[in-house]
Amino acid sequence: MGATTTAPPAPAPAPVSPRRESRGRLGRLDAKVSPYLYIAPFFLLFLVTGLFPLFYTGWVAMHDWDQIMGKGEFVGMANFVDVLTGRGFWRALANTVSIFLLSSVPQILAALLIAALLDRNLRAKTLWRMGVLLPYVVAPVAVALIFSNLFADRFGLINALLETVGIEPVRWHSDRLASHIAIATMVNFRWTGYNALILLAAMQAVPKDLYEQASIDGASAWRQFWSVTVPMLRPTIIFVIITSTIGGLQIFDEPKMYDQFGRGGADQQWQTLTIYLYELGWTRADFGMASAVAVLLFLVIVVFGIVNFLLTRHIAHDEGKRS
């Protein structure tokens, strides 16, 4: 029998120096903590400029707070009861929702169409893309002044054009629905191009292979748009809907500048919640009721945001099951 050989023992691992171990520990800690440090300035700024004013507004809403005399006695929910039982809040809420629907729905559809056109191989496409953003650059006060003259009841350009085709002049400042349409037109003029560029940026991120596969399957350009482009844009569309909802329910500049008085019409026919809030706070000097309206407006925006989220999620779920 031959002699058996045994394998030499494995060398012991070299001892890790304390400095290297400390560096490794710091590196792992940096990988875990540094992302939170990068986003911390935003949340600190949001805490100071967002959450604190919100809670402070709720605190003011529960007091009899005068613009000159300052903080009064604690009244609890009395300001909310006075606002909700008054006619002004519900009229302003109806006007706000009406203008919001007349502006946001056509605005998003038009932005989607414009983005699809800009996504094609156009000549001087950079010029066209810059052109749709020009209305957003114009000051809202200037837009409101120009459009208020265009929609003037007696000498406005829109009524002059309507008379040339035999249509009776529209009372853009007297009729409630007509005033809402005019104000929604101002909003659409300013924000359609802005939303179109956001949707265009999302369209350019859609993989081109999907369009090639759809073309091989015989899908037309219209079918590719609805079956490929729109589903891929769903997160961006949700973002645009949410931002349009927030901006539409907080609309102030356009209805404020629609006439020379800035009160939302002689009969408050286009007075929005923000104008009603402004009137309570700075005309009637009642900061308590104005703060109550601000809190209720915040809750209205939250409700509309939740409804939009549930609707878009339901639509996405149905499309997923069909696909």
Side-chain angles (χ1 to χ4, degrees), residues 99-109 184 187-188 241 244-245 248:
I99 296 173
F100 158 67
L101 293 177
L102 289 172
S103 60
S104 294
V105 175
Q107 178 188 138
I108 294 173
L109 295 177
V187 178
N188 292 335
I241 291 175
S244 298
T245 300

Side-chain angles (χ1 to χ4, degrees), residues 66-68 252 256 274-291:
D66 186 79
Q67 180 182 357
I68 300 176
F252 178 79
K256 182 69 175 177
T274 51
I275 296 180
Y276 180 58
L277 186 156
Y278 181 87
E279 180 182 348
L280 289 175
W282 298 103
T283 303
R284 305 184 191 179
D286 192 342
F287 277 9
M289 290 189 64
S291 299

Side-chain angles (χ1 to χ4, degrees), residues 241-317:
I241 291 175
I242 296 298
T243 54
S244 298
T245 300
I246 297 173
L249 294 176
Q250 291 180 339
I251 184 173
F252 178 79
D253 294 333
E254 289 83 358
K256 182 69 175 177
M257 299 297 298
Y258 188 54
D259 67 351
Q260 59 182 336
F261 303 105
R263 297 184 55 200
D267 296 325
Q268 287 76 45
Q269 58 266 33
W270 69 81
Q271 185 186 65
T272 59
L273 281 174
T274 51
I275 296 180
Y276 180 58
L277 186 156
Y278 181 87
E279 180 182 348
L280 289 175
W282 298 103
T283 303
R284 305 184 191 179
D286 192 342
F287 277 9
M289 290 189 64
S291 299
V293 174
V295 173
L296 292 173
L297 176 59
F298 169 75
L299 296 177
V300 169
I301 294 174
V302 170
V303 170
F304 271 83
I306 293 174
V307 170
N308 285 333
F309 174 75
L310 294 177
L311 286 176
T312 51
R313 189 177 68 171
H314 179 71
I315 294 172
H317 180 68

Side-chain angles (χ1 to χ4, degrees), residues 57-167:
T57 301
W59 173 253
V60 175
M62 291 187 292
H63 290 79
D64 185 11
W65 204 295
D66 186 79
Q67 180 182 357
I68 300 176
M69 303 302 295
K71 178 182 175 182
E73 62 179 2
F74 180 82
V75 295
M77 303 298 291
N79 286 326
F80 293 94
V81 174
D82 292 341
V83 169
L84 293 175
T85 55
R87 182 171 176 266
F89 173 80
W90 298 106
R91 179 181 55 218
L93 177 61
N95 293 337
T96 303
V97 174
S98 175
I99 296 173
F100 158 67
L101 293 177
L102 289 172
S103 60
S104 294
V105 175
Q107 178 188 138
I108 294 173
L109 295 177
L112 192 61
L113 178 61
I114 293 173
L117 294 176
L118 293 177
D119 194 36
R120 293 182 171 272
N121 294 324
L122 300 175
R123 291 183 178 180
K125 57 184 178 181
T126 303
L127 178 64
W128 290 107
R129 293 172 182 176
M130 292 176 59
V132 298
L133 194 61
L134 287 179
Y136 174 73
V137 180
V138 180
V141 175
V143 174
L145 290 174
I146 293 172
F147 274 82
S148 62
N149 290 318
L150 288 176
F151 287 101
D153 292 346
R154 296 183 60 187
F155 304 107
L157 179 61
I158 304 299
N159 277 341
L161 294 176
L162 293 177
E163 288 181 354
T164 57
V165 294
I167 300 177

